[in-house]
Every structure is written in structure tokens, then in C-alpha cells.
Amino acid sequence: MEHGSSGLRRIVREVAKFGAVGGAGLLVNLVVFNLVRHLTELPVVRASVVATVVAIVFNYIGFRYFTYRDRDKSGRTKELTLFLLFSVVGLVIENGILYAATYGFGWDSPLQSNIFKFVGIGIATLFRFWSYRSWVFKTLPAREAVASAESFLEEAEQAPVRKPSRPGQRVL
């Protein structure tokens, strides 16, 4: 039972970290989208694509160095390639929904655009979570993780132990 509950805690922590980075990325995406939409003459979907690309860069940094910092780092080129591939699929999902709402149904007021941008981000996020954790930021094989932990313990055991030179003295 202990092993199962620790696995559940691990996935809850992962979802929380993914959510923290994703939430910040969502804010980046929406702020950039609204700035580009209101400060330029770009059509709504193009403004959304620009915002999504900025959020993708932001999210990669957050996922690599916060959410999945303990994951395998040996193949960065492959990792980045897969991240970009799955991010582009997410970009198509996210902006496809906005495109359908804007050009298919004529829902293009600022409020409607933000609602469908948000819905698209939500659906694309489900895909991204699954693909990033399954393909991009893979867990270390158990053998490597155990070897790493064992080497850490061996180093700690071999470290010299300092004793206080007089009674009551603390060793730092």
C-alpha cells in the first residue's frame, strides 16, 4: 500500500508543478495575445499563434528547469525536438478551436476570442501533459535512479566525520 500511495503523491506533485508552469504560461499566452491583438493589425488567429509561440518558449524553460528537472537530461536535442513537435500539435489544437469560432461561427468579439482561446488552451493542455510526460521528459530508468541514490549514500558514508575538540562544542 505504501508504494501505491507514494506513486499517487508523485503524480499529484507532478500535476501541481505542471499546473504552476502551465498557469504562468496561460497568463503569458493571454497577455501577449491581447497585447498583439489590440496593438497591431494582425488578424485574431495570427495574434493567437504569436502568443502561443511565446508561451511555448516560456513553458519549455519552466518544464525543463522546474517541473521535470529530475528527469533524464541526456538527450537534450531529442527532448527539444519532441517538445517542439508536440507543442506545434498543441498550437494547432488551441488555434484550430479559435479559428473555428472566429471564422466558422463569426464569434470574434474580444470577449468571445478570449473565451475560445482559453477553451483551446485547456484542450491542448490535456494533450500536452500526456505527450510531455510520456515522450519528452521521460523518467530515468529505475536502474539509473537506484545507482545514483546508492552512489550518493556511499559518498556520505565515506565523508570524514569531524568530532568536537571540547565538550559542548557544535560541529558545523
Side-chain angles (χ1 to χ4, degrees), residues 27 41 43 58 60 67 69 80 107 118 121 157 166 171:
L27 290 175
E41 297 295 320
F58 176 87
Y60 178 76
T67 305
R69 71 175 172 243
L80 187 55
W107 298 328
F118 187 79
I121 290 171
E157 287 175 356
R166 54 190 147 103
V171 176

Side-chain angles (χ1 to χ4, degrees), residues 49-85:
V49 169
V50 168
T52 303
V53 169
V54 171
I56 287 170
V57 171
F58 176 87
N59 286 345
Y60 178 76
I61 294 167
F63 291 141
R64 168 39 56 215
Y65 297 104
F66 177 67
T67 305
Y68 298 113
R69 71 175 172 243
D70 60 334
R71 299 291 176 95
D72 185 14
K73 297 174 182 78
S74 62
R76 286 287 173 97
T77 302
K78 180 181 177 185
E79 172 186 284
L80 187 55
T81 302
L82 287 171
F83 181 84
L84 291 173
L85 173 74

Side-chain angles (χ1 to χ4, degrees), residues 20-142:
V21 172
L26 170 70
L27 290 175
V28 167
N29 198 331
L30 292 174
V31 166
V32 171
F33 170 64
N34 283 292
L35 284 173
V36 171
R37 181 140 191 243
H38 295 293
L39 297 177
T40 71
E41 297 295 320
L42 281 178
V44 66
V45 175
R46 287 186 188 158
S48 180
V49 169
V50 168
T52 303
V53 169
V54 171
I56 287 170
V57 171
F58 176 87
N59 286 345
Y60 178 76
I61 294 167
F63 291 141
R64 168 39 56 215
Y65 297 104
F66 177 67
T67 305
Y68 298 113
R69 71 175 172 243
D70 60 334
R71 299 291 176 95
D72 185 14
K73 297 174 182 78
S74 62
R76 286 287 173 97
T77 302
K78 180 181 177 185
E79 172 186 284
L80 187 55
T81 302
L82 287 171
F83 181 84
L84 291 173
L85 173 74
F86 290 121
S87 293
V88 167
V89 173
L91 180 143
V92 170
I93 293 168
E94 175 183 329
N95 292 291
I97 291 169
L98 181 61
Y99 181 90
T102 302
Y103 300 109
F105 297 101
W107 298 328
D108 64 351
S109 74
L111 177 62
Q112 291 168 326
S113 294
N114 277 284
I115 289 171
F116 287 102
K117 172 89 172 147
F118 187 79
V119 168
I121 290 171
I123 294 169
T125 296
L126 295 173
F127 169 78
R128 288 177 177 130
F129 179 74
W130 169 80
S131 63
Y132 294 166
R133 81 178 310 266
S134 299
W135 299 100
V136 180
F137 301 107
K138 291 183 169 189
T139 58
L140 285 170

